[in-house]
Amino acid sequence: MGLFSGLFRSRDKPKNSTAGSAYAFYMGGSTAGKPVTERSAMQMTAVYSCVRILAEAIAGLPLHLYRYKEDGGKEKALDHPLYLLLHDEPNPEMSSFVFRETLMTHLLLWGNAYAQIIRNGKGEVIALYPLMPNKMSVDRDENGKLYYTYTRSTEEAPTMENGSVTLKPSDVLHIPGLGFDGLVGYSPIAMAKNAIGMAIACEEYGAKFFANGAAPSGVLEHPGTIKDPTRVREAWQSQFGGSGNSGKVAVLEEGMKYTPISISPDQAQFLETRKFQINEIARIFRVPPHMVGDLEKSSFSNIEQQSLEFVKYTLDPWVIRWEQSIARALFSAEEKKEYFVKFNLEGLLRGDYVSRMNGYSIARQNGWMSANDIRELENLDRIPAEDGGDLYLINGNMLPLGNAGAYANITNGKEENSDEETPSTEVLEVEERSGKRITRNRKSP
């Protein structure tokens, strides 16, 4: 029984105990022959653009800490210590924007984002510091409990000694990406290294093509025997090689002839291949092509819809990962019942000005938004309550079908009891008799 229990306990451990490029399947080059790492991939404009778009989008979203109210609503918990850390300054060295941008970049490149949680003597969180994911490993001890091991080096700080530090789960904010065990995420760069390697190869081919004079490589043929072919090759390269020498006219002597042996980039569909690789990388990160500069299939009629889909299908899953990881790592069991963290996506989901105004008009007329509700969404100052800024109004011509045509007596905004006697009113009655108009007053029933 002890043998079997040991087997089941080992299966419970994360299969990949380290993060970043230390994974076994990360090693080696791509099928295009180019090595792909998290840092070399960032040299590709498409990868850099996708990572920057997503990192800045998450970092730029308003992040608030809310408290549940007894009436079912919510309010900002401005008095909670975590509000300042998450919304403004997680540590004395960086702002909330830079902190979230850094962690999101780690998450997109290495598949994991880590931050060390600094607590005071009361156990309250007082600071959050990013940790490099390629120096962090996740494993279980002999009792099955998770622990984190971070490898320190002098590269991070000259005063830091080399070595490793063991951290408890309560000391680490860990946001994992897509993975196989639910504990450690896998790098999108590693999982798609062949596509990125092909893009790197295409870019290198284009750079060398222009470096060689934007002319296909070929062979210099001589009818006789050349005593020093190296000198001839170097002379040709010095005069006609490089993009600065493109377009020069070559003068061949002694019956020499130039014969190209390579196909042209147009024949090889070089530009089409590069364009496809840009879309391929955008597909990895689920970023619309128009956001990385490919406007071939975009128009005024579909860009807004693509932008809304970007928020719904790309940003929203990342936002949920952040919110749930923050709540799990930074809140105590009692705080989870009272507080929650929320990214505000409303600003990204807004349409154009005319569409917003039409929507506000419908909400205002139907009574589920006040003037101040609308002004807060538009980042305008509130109207004082005594001036009617918090009033919820409803269009008066909308009545239940059974009350259509009924006479309702309204006093101070409240309907009086229908059993009470209705005050009499003077009614002006006009009759026509013998071609004359006769006017008289009568009491209404």
Side-chain angles (χ1 to χ4, degrees), residues 80-123:
H80 197 286
L82 276 178
Y83 188 94
L84 178 64
L85 294 179
L86 297 176
H87 185 268
D88 298 312
E89 191 176 287
N91 61 69
E93 299 176 354
M94 61 186 66
S95 64
S96 178
F97 183 97
V98 174
F99 174 78
R100 284 183 278 155
E101 183 184 43
T102 302
L103 288 192
M104 191 63 191
T105 302
H106 293 172
L107 190 53
L108 293 169
L109 294 178
W110 281 276
N112 295 273
Y114 302 95
Q116 185 179 6
I117 304 173
I118 307 300
R119 302 178 186 271
N120 58 15
K122 300 179 181 179

Side-chain angles (χ1 to χ4, degrees), residues 4 61 70 95 121 146 180 255 288 290 307 317 396:
F4 286 103
L61 290 175
E70 294 181 358
S95 64
L146 285 175
F180 300 154
H290 78 269
S307 299

